[in-house]
Amino acid sequence: ARRQGRFVGRDGELSLLRDEYERAKGGTPSFVAISGEAGAGKTRLLEEFRTRVAADATWLEGRAYPFAQNIPYYAITDLISNSVGIDETDSADTVRTKLVQGVSALVESPSEILPPLLQLYDIEGSEGSSIDREAYRGRLHQSLLALVQSIASRGPLVVVLQDLHWADPSTVDILRQLASEPLSSTLTLYNYRPEFAFHEGGIREIKLSELSDRDTRDLVESLLDADTVPNELVTFLDQRTGGHPFFMEE
């Protein structure tokens, strides 16, 4: 298994996320996008942030994947599945049961929200199956909005979508729509590689650069449980990994 070293070189970025979370807790909607090359530490930054807010925030997370780049709304479906405990091996009946029970526990009027969500899973008999693509996107947007607002009304909410450079166009479109909504008490976090851009009004973007020489040394020392390491090793690893912490740990 890959060994994880000390969290280094991202204190400023972590502090910014904490500040944005405090804004969201105070009722102000907050959107932050994290951009960085593969291995730059986008996911690790979110993991470290999550450990610091887990005690008092609801955390909803979905992810885009390379194999699903042509599957509409896959990252949204992943987020919903994670939220209500749906597994990819579940039968259609089990998916329906988990979705109905999970959403009913989160919102007061589940009957208005459920049909577009059921359609994400191609559940037979869902009302969304008979409407056109554009109308469906509008209804899905309203369902997601109502779901987020309902959860956030109970306490601080963090919504995370990872690896959006692999997201299909329909997912990106609906996330752009959500980014324009006043999601009170909600911090929304997106991450992606630099070839993707998510520039919407009000979104702050964090760009993760390579680690400094000092940070590289600190990381290598933590990985090796050493008080000091040779300069040659630090230089070698820095050149081989481009200063990206994930690859150093590998």
Short mmCIF file of all heavy atoms in Angstrom, two decimals, residues 73 76 80 109-120 125-148 174 177-178 181:
data_model
loop_
_atom_site.label_atom_id
_atom_site.label_comp_id
_atom_site.label_asym_id
_atom_site.label_seq_id
_atom_site.Cartn_x
_atom_site.Cartn_y
_atom_site.Cartn_z
N TYR A 73 -24.64 12.71 -16.43
CA TYR A 73 -24.85 12.98 -15.00
C TYR A 73 -24.18 11.93 -14.08
O TYR A 73 -24.61 11.74 -12.95
CB TYR A 73 -26.34 13.06 -14.67
CG TYR A 73 -27.10 14.05 -15.51
CD1 TYR A 73 -28.06 13.63 -16.43
CD2 TYR A 73 -26.85 15.42 -15.40
CE1 TYR A 73 -28.74 14.54 -17.22
CE2 TYR A 73 -27.54 16.34 -16.19
CZ TYR A 73 -28.48 15.90 -17.10
OH TYR A 73 -29.16 16.79 -17.87
N ILE A 76 -23.06 13.19 -10.68
CA ILE A 76 -24.21 13.50 -9.84
C ILE A 76 -24.79 12.21 -9.27
O ILE A 76 -25.12 12.12 -8.08
CB ILE A 76 -25.29 14.23 -10.66
CG1 ILE A 76 -24.74 15.51 -11.29
CG2 ILE A 76 -26.51 14.51 -9.80
CD1 ILE A 76 -24.35 16.57 -10.31
N ILE A 80 -25.26 11.06 -5.29
CA ILE A 80 -26.51 10.58 -4.71
C ILE A 80 -26.32 9.18 -4.12
O ILE A 80 -26.76 8.89 -3.00
CB ILE A 80 -27.64 10.56 -5.76
CG1 ILE A 80 -27.90 11.98 -6.31
CG2 ILE A 80 -28.91 9.98 -5.16
CD1 ILE A 80 -28.39 12.96 -5.28
N SER A 109 -40.79 17.02 1.31
CA SER A 109 -41.68 16.67 0.20
C SER A 109 -40.94 15.82 -0.83
O SER A 109 -40.64 16.28 -1.94
CB SER A 109 -42.22 17.95 -0.47
OG SER A 109 -42.88 18.76 0.48
N PRO A 110 -40.65 14.56 -0.48
CA PRO A 110 -39.85 13.71 -1.39
C PRO A 110 -40.53 13.42 -2.72
O PRO A 110 -39.84 13.20 -3.73
CB PRO A 110 -39.64 12.43 -0.57
CG PRO A 110 -40.76 12.41 0.42
CD PRO A 110 -41.01 13.85 0.76
N SER A 111 -41.85 13.43 -2.77
CA SER A 111 -42.54 13.07 -4.01
C SER A 111 -42.22 14.04 -5.15
O SER A 111 -42.27 13.67 -6.32
CB SER A 111 -44.06 13.03 -3.78
OG SER A 111 -44.54 14.30 -3.37
N GLU A 112 -41.89 15.28 -4.81
CA GLU A 112 -41.55 16.27 -5.83
C GLU A 112 -40.10 16.13 -6.31
O GLU A 112 -39.77 16.53 -7.42
CB GLU A 112 -41.78 17.68 -5.28
CG GLU A 112 -43.21 17.96 -4.86
CD GLU A 112 -43.35 19.31 -4.18
OE1 GLU A 112 -42.39 20.11 -4.25
OE2 GLU A 112 -44.40 19.56 -3.58
N ILE A 113 -39.26 15.58 -5.48
CA ILE A 113 -37.83 15.50 -5.76
C ILE A 113 -37.43 14.17 -6.38
O ILE A 113 -36.52 14.10 -7.21
CB ILE A 113 -37.04 15.73 -4.45
CG1 ILE A 113 -37.22 17.18 -3.99
CG2 ILE A 113 -35.56 15.41 -4.61
CD1 ILE A 113 -36.59 17.47 -2.65
N LEU A 114 -38.14 13.10 -6.03
CA LEU A 114 -37.70 11.75 -6.39
C LEU A 114 -37.72 11.40 -7.87
O LEU A 114 -36.78 10.75 -8.35
CB LEU A 114 -38.53 10.72 -5.61
CG LEU A 114 -38.02 10.42 -4.20
CD1 LEU A 114 -39.08 9.65 -3.41
CD2 LEU A 114 -36.73 9.60 -4.27
N PRO A 115 -38.75 11.76 -8.64
CA PRO A 115 -38.80 11.26 -10.03
C PRO A 115 -37.54 11.52 -10.86
O PRO A 115 -37.04 10.59 -11.50
CB PRO A 115 -40.03 11.98 -10.60
CG PRO A 115 -40.92 12.16 -9.42
CD PRO A 115 -39.99 12.48 -8.29
N PRO A 116 -36.99 12.75 -10.89
CA PRO A 116 -35.75 12.94 -11.67
C PRO A 116 -34.56 12.15 -11.13
O PRO A 116 -33.69 11.74 -11.90
CB PRO A 116 -35.49 14.46 -11.57
CG PRO A 116 -36.82 15.04 -11.22
CD PRO A 116 -37.47 14.03 -10.35
N LEU A 117 -34.53 11.94 -9.81
CA LEU A 117 -33.44 11.17 -9.23
C LEU A 117 -33.57 9.69 -9.59
O LEU A 117 -32.56 9.02 -9.89
CB LEU A 117 -33.41 11.34 -7.70
CG LEU A 117 -33.24 12.77 -7.19
CD1 LEU A 117 -33.15 12.78 -5.66
CD2 LEU A 117 -32.01 13.44 -7.79
N LEU A 118 -34.79 9.17 -9.58
CA LEU A 118 -35.01 7.78 -10.00
C LEU A 118 -34.59 7.58 -11.45
O LEU A 118 -34.02 6.55 -11.81
CB LEU A 118 -36.49 7.41 -9.83
CG LEU A 118 -36.97 7.22 -8.39
CD1 LEU A 118 -38.49 7.21 -8.34
CD2 LEU A 118 -36.40 5.94 -7.80
N GLN A 119 -34.82 8.59 -12.28
CA GLN A 119 -34.46 8.49 -13.69
C GLN A 119 -32.95 8.41 -13.89
O GLN A 119 -32.47 7.82 -14.86
CB GLN A 119 -35.04 9.69 -14.45
CG GLN A 119 -34.74 9.70 -15.95
CD GLN A 119 -35.32 8.51 -16.69
OE1 GLN A 119 -36.18 7.80 -16.15
NE2 GLN A 119 -34.84 8.27 -17.89
N LEU A 120 -32.18 8.97 -12.96
CA LEU A 120 -30.72 8.84 -13.04
C LEU A 120 -30.29 7.38 -13.07
O LEU A 120 -29.27 7.03 -13.66
CB LEU A 120 -30.06 9.53 -11.83
CG LEU A 120 -29.98 11.05 -11.80
CD1 LEU A 120 -29.41 11.51 -10.46
CD2 LEU A 120 -29.15 11.58 -12.95
N GLY A 125 -40.65 3.24 -14.66
CA GLY A 125 -41.82 3.89 -14.09
C GLY A 125 -41.56 5.26 -13.53
O GLY A 125 -42.48 5.95 -13.10
N SER A 126 -40.30 5.72 -13.56
CA SER A 126 -40.02 7.07 -13.07
C SER A 126 -40.56 8.07 -14.09
O SER A 126 -40.47 7.87 -15.30
CB SER A 126 -38.51 7.27 -12.88
OG SER A 126 -37.81 7.06 -14.08
N GLU A 127 -41.12 9.14 -13.59
CA GLU A 127 -41.79 10.10 -14.47
C GLU A 127 -40.83 10.74 -15.46
O GLU A 127 -41.22 11.16 -16.54
CB GLU A 127 -42.47 11.19 -13.63
CG GLU A 127 -43.60 10.66 -12.76
CD GLU A 127 -44.15 11.75 -11.85
OE1 GLU A 127 -43.99 12.93 -12.18
OE2 GLU A 127 -44.74 11.40 -10.83
N GLY A 128 -39.56 10.83 -15.09
CA GLY A 128 -38.60 11.50 -15.94
C GLY A 128 -38.37 10.81 -17.28
O GLY A 128 -37.88 11.41 -18.22
N SER A 129 -38.76 9.54 -17.38
CA SER A 129 -38.47 8.79 -18.60
C SER A 129 -39.27 9.27 -19.80
O SER A 129 -38.92 8.97 -20.93
CB SER A 129 -38.75 7.30 -18.36
OG SER A 129 -40.10 7.11 -17.98
N SER A 130 -40.35 10.01 -19.57
CA SER A 130 -41.22 10.40 -20.67
C SER A 130 -41.03 11.85 -21.11
O SER A 130 -41.76 12.32 -21.97
CB SER A 130 -42.68 10.18 -20.27
OG SER A 130 -43.01 10.99 -19.15
N ILE A 131 -40.06 12.56 -20.52
CA ILE A 131 -39.87 13.96 -20.89
C ILE A 131 -38.56 14.12 -21.65
O ILE A 131 -37.67 13.29 -21.56
CB ILE A 131 -39.90 14.87 -19.64
CG1 ILE A 131 -38.79 14.48 -18.65
CG2 ILE A 131 -41.24 14.80 -18.97
CD1 ILE A 131 -38.73 15.39 -17.43
N ASP A 132 -38.48 15.22 -22.43
CA ASP A 132 -37.30 15.38 -23.26
C ASP A 132 -36.09 15.80 -22.42
O ASP A 132 -36.21 16.15 -21.26
CB ASP A 132 -37.56 16.39 -24.38
CG ASP A 132 -37.81 17.80 -23.86
OD1 ASP A 132 -36.96 18.32 -23.11
OD2 ASP A 132 -38.87 18.38 -24.19
N ARG A 133 -34.92 15.74 -23.06
CA ARG A 133 -33.65 15.93 -22.36
C ARG A 133 -33.56 17.30 -21.67
O ARG A 133 -33.13 17.40 -20.52
CB ARG A 133 -32.50 15.76 -23.36
CG ARG A 133 -31.12 15.79 -22.74
CD ARG A 133 -30.06 15.55 -23.78
NE ARG A 133 -30.27 14.28 -24.48
CZ ARG A 133 -29.52 13.88 -25.51
NH1 ARG A 133 -28.55 14.65 -25.97
NH2 ARG A 133 -29.76 12.72 -26.09
N GLU A 134 -33.97 18.34 -22.37
CA GLU A 134 -33.86 19.70 -21.81
C GLU A 134 -34.80 19.87 -20.62
O GLU A 134 -34.44 20.44 -19.60
CB GLU A 134 -34.17 20.73 -22.89
CG GLU A 134 -33.68 22.14 -22.57
CD GLU A 134 -32.16 22.22 -22.47
OE1 GLU A 134 -31.47 21.45 -23.16
OE2 GLU A 134 -31.68 23.04 -21.65
N ALA A 135 -36.02 19.36 -20.76
CA ALA A 135 -36.98 19.45 -19.66
C ALA A 135 -36.49 18.63 -18.47
O ALA A 135 -36.63 19.05 -17.31
CB ALA A 135 -38.35 18.95 -20.11
N TYR A 136 -35.90 17.46 -18.77
CA TYR A 136 -35.38 16.63 -17.67
C TYR A 136 -34.27 17.35 -16.91
O TYR A 136 -34.23 17.31 -15.68
CB TYR A 136 -34.86 15.30 -18.21
CG TYR A 136 -34.18 14.48 -17.13
CD1 TYR A 136 -34.91 13.93 -16.09
CD2 TYR A 136 -32.79 14.32 -17.12
CE1 TYR A 136 -34.29 13.22 -15.07
CE2 TYR A 136 -32.17 13.62 -16.11
CZ TYR A 136 -32.93 13.07 -15.09
OH TYR A 136 -32.31 12.40 -14.08
N ARG A 137 -33.37 18.00 -17.63
CA ARG A 137 -32.28 18.70 -16.96
C ARG A 137 -32.82 19.76 -16.01
O ARG A 137 -32.31 19.93 -14.90
CB ARG A 137 -31.33 19.34 -17.97
CG ARG A 137 -30.11 19.97 -17.32
CD ARG A 137 -29.09 20.44 -18.33
NE ARG A 137 -29.56 21.58 -19.10
CZ ARG A 137 -28.84 22.17 -20.04
NH1 ARG A 137 -27.64 21.70 -20.36
NH2 ARG A 137 -29.32 23.19 -20.70
N GLY A 138 -33.87 20.46 -16.45
CA GLY A 138 -34.48 21.47 -15.59
C GLY A 138 -35.06 20.87 -14.32
O GLY A 138 -34.91 21.41 -13.23
N ARG A 139 -35.73 19.72 -14.48
CA ARG A 139 -36.33 19.07 -13.31
C ARG A 139 -35.26 18.49 -12.39
O ARG A 139 -35.40 18.53 -11.16
CB ARG A 139 -37.29 17.97 -13.77
CG ARG A 139 -38.53 18.53 -14.47
CD ARG A 139 -39.53 17.44 -14.75
NE ARG A 139 -39.96 16.80 -13.51
CZ ARG A 139 -40.70 15.69 -13.46
NH1 ARG A 139 -41.07 15.12 -14.58
NH2 ARG A 139 -41.07 15.18 -12.32
N LEU A 140 -34.20 17.94 -12.98
CA LEU A 140 -33.11 17.41 -12.16
C LEU A 140 -32.45 18.55 -11.38
O LEU A 140 -32.13 18.41 -10.19
CB LEU A 140 -32.09 16.71 -13.03
CG LEU A 140 -30.86 16.13 -12.31
CD1 LEU A 140 -31.26 15.11 -11.26
CD2 LEU A 140 -29.89 15.50 -13.31
N HIS A 141 -32.25 19.68 -12.04
CA HIS A 141 -31.68 20.85 -11.37
C HIS A 141 -32.53 21.26 -10.18
O HIS A 141 -32.01 21.50 -9.08
CB HIS A 141 -31.55 22.01 -12.36
CG HIS A 141 -31.12 23.29 -11.73
ND1 HIS A 141 -31.98 24.35 -11.56
CD2 HIS A 141 -29.93 23.69 -11.23
CE1 HIS A 141 -31.34 25.34 -10.97
NE2 HIS A 141 -30.11 24.96 -10.77
N GLN A 142 -33.83 21.31 -10.35
CA GLN A 142 -34.73 21.69 -9.26
C GLN A 142 -34.69 20.67 -8.12
O GLN A 142 -34.74 21.04 -6.94
CB GLN A 142 -36.16 21.87 -9.78
CG GLN A 142 -36.34 23.08 -10.68
CD GLN A 142 -35.95 24.38 -9.99
OE1 GLN A 142 -36.28 24.60 -8.82
NE2 GLN A 142 -35.20 25.23 -10.71
N SER A 143 -34.60 19.39 -8.46
CA SER A 143 -34.52 18.35 -7.43
C SER A 143 -33.23 18.47 -6.62
O SER A 143 -33.25 18.40 -5.38
CB SER A 143 -34.59 16.95 -8.07
OG SER A 143 -35.89 16.66 -8.51
N LEU A 144 -32.11 18.64 -7.32
CA LEU A 144 -30.82 18.78 -6.63
C LEU A 144 -30.81 20.02 -5.75
O LEU A 144 -30.32 20.01 -4.62
CB LEU A 144 -29.68 18.82 -7.64
CG LEU A 144 -29.44 17.54 -8.44
CD1 LEU A 144 -28.41 17.79 -9.54
CD2 LEU A 144 -28.99 16.41 -7.53
N LEU A 145 -31.36 21.11 -6.29
CA LEU A 145 -31.42 22.36 -5.54
C LEU A 145 -32.24 22.19 -4.26
O LEU A 145 -31.82 22.60 -3.17
CB LEU A 145 -32.02 23.46 -6.42
CG LEU A 145 -32.08 24.87 -5.85
CD1 LEU A 145 -30.68 25.37 -5.50
CD2 LEU A 145 -32.75 25.81 -6.84
N ALA A 146 -33.40 21.57 -4.38
CA ALA A 146 -34.26 21.35 -3.22
C ALA A 146 -33.59 20.44 -2.20
O ALA A 146 -33.69 20.66 -0.98
CB ALA A 146 -35.60 20.74 -3.66
N LEU A 147 -32.88 19.42 -2.69
CA LEU A 147 -32.18 18.48 -1.81
C LEU A 147 -31.09 19.20 -1.02
O LEU A 147 -30.99 19.07 0.21
CB LEU A 147 -31.59 17.35 -2.64
CG LEU A 147 -31.03 16.14 -1.90
CD1 LEU A 147 -32.12 15.43 -1.12
CD2 LEU A 147 -30.39 15.17 -2.89
N VAL A 148 -30.28 19.98 -1.72
CA VAL A 148 -29.20 20.72 -1.07
C VAL A 148 -29.75 21.72 -0.06
O VAL A 148 -29.27 21.82 1.08
CB VAL A 148 -28.32 21.42 -2.13
CG1 VAL A 148 -27.39 22.43 -1.46
CG2 VAL A 148 -27.52 20.40 -2.91
N ILE A 174 -25.07 21.23 -15.56
CA ILE A 174 -25.93 21.37 -14.38
C ILE A 174 -25.15 21.91 -13.19
O ILE A 174 -25.69 22.65 -12.36
CB ILE A 174 -26.63 20.03 -14.06
CG1 ILE A 174 -27.94 20.31 -13.31
CG2 ILE A 174 -25.73 19.10 -13.23
CD1 ILE A 174 -28.87 19.12 -13.28
N GLN A 177 -25.08 25.59 -13.57
CA GLN A 177 -26.35 26.15 -13.12
C GLN A 177 -26.40 26.26 -11.60
O GLN A 177 -26.81 27.29 -11.05
CB GLN A 177 -27.51 25.27 -13.60
CG GLN A 177 -27.87 25.40 -15.06
CD GLN A 177 -29.10 24.56 -15.39
OE1 GLN A 177 -29.02 23.34 -15.51
NE2 GLN A 177 -30.24 25.22 -15.53
N LEU A 178 -25.98 25.20 -10.93
CA LEU A 178 -26.00 25.21 -9.47
C LEU A 178 -25.06 26.26 -8.89
O LEU A 178 -25.31 26.83 -7.83
CB LEU A 178 -25.64 23.82 -8.93
CG LEU A 178 -26.70 22.73 -9.11
CD1 LEU A 178 -26.15 21.38 -8.73
CD2 LEU A 178 -27.94 23.06 -8.27
N GLU A 181 -26.66 29.51 -8.09
CA GLU A 181 -27.73 29.54 -7.09
C GLU A 181 -27.21 30.03 -5.74
O GLU A 181 -26.09 29.72 -5.35
CB GLU A 181 -28.33 28.13 -6.92
CG GLU A 181 -28.96 27.56 -8.17
CD GLU A 181 -30.33 28.18 -8.46
OE1 GLU A 181 -30.80 29.01 -7.65
OE2 GLU A 181 -30.91 27.82 -9.50
#
